[in-house]
Amino acid sequence: MVAEEDFDQVLKAENAEFLKDQEIDRILKAFKLDAYAVLDILPGCTTKDIRNIFRKKSLLIHPDKTSNEKAPGNDFHAYSYTDKTEAFDKLKRAESELMDDKQRERIDSAIATARRMLINERKWTVDHPDLTTDEFMYDLRDKTREVLIDDELHRRRKRQLQMAKKVESGQKRKRLTRPRSARSWRTRCGRRQEMRVLAIGENLPGQASVLPEAPPPPPPPPTDGQPLRKKVKKVKKEKIKLLG
């Protein structure tokens, strides 16, 4: 009798671990951008329902509440402590998104868009009886995945453009407010001095004049030892007259 009770307890424990691993497998495979899929609930549930479902699932898969890692030859404990931690963090993130009104509105909008797209593709009406079937709900979840991916890509491109604009504006502001270096100050002083030279004719230290050269001065007056050619010719003419 005791052996049968022990056997039943072992079966119950193994069954509980199997259910935990099954839930962990579902959470890890769920699309992370769809918080409803991670928590395995339908849109339109109340905040109280979200909290209750999260509490129930978190206690089921909590890393500290589950058994040890998978042992060799043991197929029941298929997930390690790291996998269980990842699943728990994913579950907690989904619960936080649904508790945030802005994030939940974004997900609800994507679901509504996916539902409208499916109805238009199949040419149904809003009161079609197949809208409540499980098959349509699976298709709706797949379509919601596509819409959320497109929305996430659009948001990432928008953030990249905003970051690029911030970087560009920061660089422009840095160029405008950058302190002037000593070299640029010397360059500006040199340019100002050159402009002054061109304006008043003042030479730079150690440089030749930038103004045009003045004409050469006239030759000095003749002296006794250096008679001019005209005077020599005049003397010769006077000697000829005297001889004639």
Side-chain angles (χ1 to χ4, degrees), residues 38-49:
V38 176
L39 288 172
D40 196 21
I41 56 178
L42 295 176
C45 58
T46 63
T47 304
K48 184 178 180 180
D49 294 337

Side-chain angles (χ1 to χ4, degrees), residues 14-153:
E14 293 296 344
N15 184 52
E17 290 297 325
F18 175 77
L19 293 177
K20 293 176 183 179
D21 291 341
Q22 192 176 22
E23 181 64 17
I24 292 172
D25 181 73
R26 186 197 63 78
I27 294 174
L28 292 177
K29 291 181 179 179
F31 185 48
K32 63 180 181 179
L33 297 180
D34 188 357
Y36 290 107
V38 176
L39 288 172
D40 196 21
I41 56 178
L42 295 176
C45 58
T46 63
T47 304
K48 184 178 180 180
D49 294 337
I50 295 174
R51 290 176 177 172
N52 291 335
I53 292 173
F54 169 73
R55 184 174 181 276
K56 180 180 179 181
K57 293 183 179 297
S58 62
L59 291 175
L60 178 64
I61 68 168
H62 197 283
D64 297 336
K65 300 291 184 180
T66 56
S67 61
N68 54 4
E69 298 184 6
K70 180 181 178 181
N74 189 349
D75 296 332
F76 289 101
H77 309 313
Y79 289 96
S80 63
Y81 184 86
T82 304
D83 296 330
K84 295 172 183 178
T85 303
E86 181 182 353
F88 179 80
D89 293 341
K90 190 174 181 180
L91 191 72
K92 178 62 178 176
R93 185 164 55 251
E95 186 261 348
S96 300
E97 289 181 357
L98 292 181
M99 296 302 293
D100 187 351
D101 294 338
K102 187 175 180 180
Q103 295 291 336
R104 185 174 182 178
E105 182 180 358
R106 179 180 61 82
I107 299 175
D108 290 341
S109 177
I111 294 174
T113 302
R115 186 174 185 273
R116 186 169 55 252
M117 292 173 64
L118 286 177
I119 292 175
N120 293 335
E121 289 175 1
R122 301 178 183 184
K123 298 180 180 180
W124 289 355
T125 59
V126 293
D127 56 351
H128 196 277
D130 291 341
L131 292 175
T132 57
T133 59
D134 294 339
E135 182 181 358
F136 179 78
M137 297 307 297
Y138 285 124
D139 295 339
L140 177 60
R141 183 159 288 182
D142 293 338
K143 199 67 174 180
T144 303
R145 179 190 183 101
E146 297 177 5
V147 175
L148 287 173
I149 290 175
D150 293 339
D151 180 63
E152 181 65 19
L153 292 176

